[in-house]
Amino acid sequence: MAEWQKFSHLFKREEIPAKTRLLHEGEIARKVYFIEKGCCRLSFNNDGKDITFQFFFEGEGVSSAESFRYDKPSLYSIESLEASVVHSLTKADYLTIVESSPLIKQDIEEQTFRRLAYVEKLFLSRIKNSPEERYKELLQQYPRILQRVPQHYIASFLGITSVSLSRIRNRR
Amino acid sequence: MAEWQKFSHLFKREEIPAKTRLLHEGEIARKVYFIEKGCCRLSFNNDGKDITFQFFFEGEGVSSAESFRYDKPSLYSIESLEASVVHSLTKADYLTIVESSPLIKQDIEEQTFRRLAYVEKLFLSRIKNSPEERYKELLQQYPRILQRVPQHYIASFLGITSVSLSRIRNRR
DNA sequence: GGAGGACGATAACAATTGTTAATTAATCTA
DNA sequence: TAGATTAATTAACAATTGTTATCGTCCTCC
């Protein structure tokens, strides 16, 4: 949205190497990030196993929303998958922007709502489909993810082991 | 929130028999409901199988948020599990309220955000845990659900068949 | 009160995934 | 580029869940 341009001076451009955590699980999110180039994943640790549950790419905003908003420990980490360029915004600056622009306040509310709808869909997809079906869905709808993201992260995202994904891919 | 009292005349009290759909999958949600007494489930049809993915009880508001907001076909149904008493609000009245009360607008934004956080947690729980673990989690955290809701809905909610849930319950 | 349907338990078998381990392929990085 | 690390494939076996079917019980509704 154009309105955001007015506040571009509050953003900080950051160059992030691959496999770098922008936020660690358990920490409080102090910033939100907008991805100019590269991609990230959200993940958490489950009994020693690292589980990926979402990916973000160019043009998308990433944060640990609940942590950022309520200053609670984040349930998950944010990590770059590739060398990336992001623009970060601190909470103080974020609040300044929200308070000075009703348009942006409205935009954020809208984005929150859309994100809710997205997470609901992601949730329903996981309920509805088998791992194999989810893989095919991913293949159809988001082939770019499969091309860019290492397979074991995909497996984790699909809720299976990399061994099982390998089997599914090589069936038939 | 007290502010809501001012608009109580816009709500319509409805008595709903058990197993009655307040909204059918594919329809556009024209109302939101607040449960005074009873409970509901959200469900959808998957290749002929009826799948339950959420429950609502007294004091909670239910709707198909995306459908209600954007006038899109709902991805799921809302159905009473028991004979219930709900208070419904049409979209027109909803919009009237939101526009006439900044406090309520703020409250709804907050609720949307909390719901996002809740759905994210629900999603993470489903990723993290096995069906057996999810059953035990439910047993610990929401025993009231197990007491009130027939077992096959629980099974569906846990992502397994009622046969498998029966097995899990009778293990050891 | 009786009939029909819904609900839950159980059994047998099939299908899928997890686990572990060994091998090959790909990719850092010094 | 060579060596080392990480990633992906494959195989064998175990564990879990799904599927189908049967049975008994309870509830609901004429």
Side-chain angles (χ1 to χ4, degrees):
Chain A
M1 198 182 60
E3 181 86 355
W4 284 96
Q5 296 299 334
K6 296 184 188 168
F7 304 95
S8 58
H9 60 286
L10 295 178
F11 287 85
K12 184 175 157 201
R13 184 177 191 277
E14 299 186 38
E15 303 202 355
I16 312 290
K19 294 196 180 199
T20 304
R21 303 226 157 175
L22 298 175
L23 173 70
H24 287 79
E25 181 181 349
E27 281 180 5
I28 293 169
R30 304 294 184 191
K31 297 178 179 178
V32 293
Y33 299 93
F34 295 85
I35 303 176
E36 178 190 324
K37 168 135 192 42
C39 55
C40 300
R41 69 186 183 106
L42 304 188
S43 66
F44 58 87
N45 184 294
N46 191 30
D47 293 331
K49 265 172 282 183
D50 177 282
I51 299 185
T52 296
F53 65 98
Q54 220 171 321
F55 300 105
F56 289 87
F57 297 89
E58 281 85 1
E60 300 183 308
V62 196
S63 76
S64 182
E66 196 184 10
S67 173
F68 184 75
R69 180 157 175 148
Y70 299 127
D71 300 308
K72 287 172 58 177
S74 174
L75 294 177
Y76 47 84
S77 298
I78 303 176
E79 186 185 301
S80 64
L81 286 164
E82 310 169 354
S84 303
V85 177
V86 302
H87 298 263
S88 68
L89 184 66
T90 65
K91 185 162 177 179
D93 289 336
Y94 167 84
L95 290 176
T96 301
I97 294 178
V98 168
E99 276 155 34
S100 65
S101 168
L103 261 176
I104 284 189
K105 189 174 163 67
Q106 190 58 40
D107 185 49
I108 285 171
E109 193 199 322
E110 183 71 21
Q111 282 185 39
T112 301
F113 194 88
R114 285 188 195 279
R115 184 160 166 77
L116 169 59
Y118 173 75
V119 175
E120 273 198 353
K121 281 204 193 86
L122 209 61
F123 181 54
L124 291 193
S125 154
R126 189 168 273 258
I127 291 177
K128 267 183 151 135
N129 307 129
S130 69
E132 181 160 7
E133 287 166 334
R134 286 205 299 281
Y135 172 71
K136 285 176 181 160
E137 187 181 278
L138 199 62
L139 199 61
Q140 277 206 320
Q141 293 184 15
Y142 307 99
R144 62 167 185 169
I145 295 185
L146 294 180
Q147 287 158 13
R148 279 177 84 164
V149 176
Q151 204 162 297
H152 62 285
Y153 294 131
I154 304 282
S156 173
F157 175 74
L158 293 173
I160 52 180
T161 60
S162 63
V163 174
S164 188
L165 176 55
S166 184
R167 267 194 299 237
I168 288 171
R169 281 164 52 86
N170 294 99
R171 250 173 220 162
R172 200 111 2 266
Chain B
M1 198 181 62
E3 183 86 355
W4 285 95
Q5 296 299 334
K6 296 184 188 167
F7 303 96
S8 58
H9 60 286
L10 295 178
F11 287 86
K12 183 175 157 202
R13 185 177 190 278
E14 299 186 36
E15 303 202 356
I16 312 290
K19 296 197 179 199
T20 303
R21 303 228 157 173
L22 299 175
L23 174 69
H24 287 78
E25 179 180 350
E27 281 180 4
I28 293 169
R30 305 293 185 192
K31 298 177 179 179
V32 293
Y33 299 94
F34 295 84
I35 303 175
E36 178 189 324
K37 168 131 191 46
C39 55
C40 300
R41 68 185 184 107
L42 304 188
S43 66
F44 57 88
N45 185 293
N46 191 31
D47 293 330
K49 263 171 285 181
D50 177 282
I51 299 184
T52 297
F53 65 98
Q54 220 171 321
F55 300 104
F56 289 87
F57 297 89
E58 281 86 0
E60 299 183 310
V62 196
S63 76
S64 182
E66 195 183 11
S67 174
F68 184 77
R69 180 158 175 146
Y70 299 128
D71 299 309
K72 288 172 57 177
S74 173
L75 295 177
Y76 46 83
S77 299
I78 303 176
E79 184 184 302
S80 64
L81 286 165
E82 309 168 354
S84 302
V85 177
V86 303
H87 297 263
S88 68
L89 184 66
T90 65
K91 186 161 177 180
D93 288 337
Y94 167 84
L95 290 176
T96 302
I97 294 178
V98 168
E99 275 155 35
S100 66
S101 168
L103 260 176
I104 283 189
K105 189 174 163 67
Q106 189 59 38
D107 185 48
I108 284 171
E109 194 200 321
E110 183 72 20
Q111 282 184 41
T112 301
F113 194 88
R114 284 187 196 280
R115 184 159 166 77
L116 170 60
Y118 173 74
V119 175
E120 273 198 353
K121 281 205 193 84
L122 209 60
F123 181 54
L124 291 193
S125 153
R126 189 167 273 258
I127 292 178
K128 269 183 150 136
N129 305 130
S130 69
E132 181 160 5
E133 286 165 335
R134 285 205 299 283
Y135 172 71
K136 285 175 182 162
E137 187 180 280
L138 198 64
L139 199 61
Q140 278 206 319
Q141 292 184 16
Y142 306 99
R144 63 167 186 172
I145 294 185
L146 293 180
Q147 286 158 13
R148 278 178 85 166
V149 176
Q151 203 163 298
H152 62 286
Y153 294 132
I154 303 283
S156 174
F157 175 74
L158 292 172
I160 53 181
T161 61
S162 63
V163 174
S164 189
L165 176 55
S166 185
R167 267 195 297 239
I168 287 171
R169 281 163 54 85
N170 294 99
R171 249 173 221 162
R172 201 109 2 262

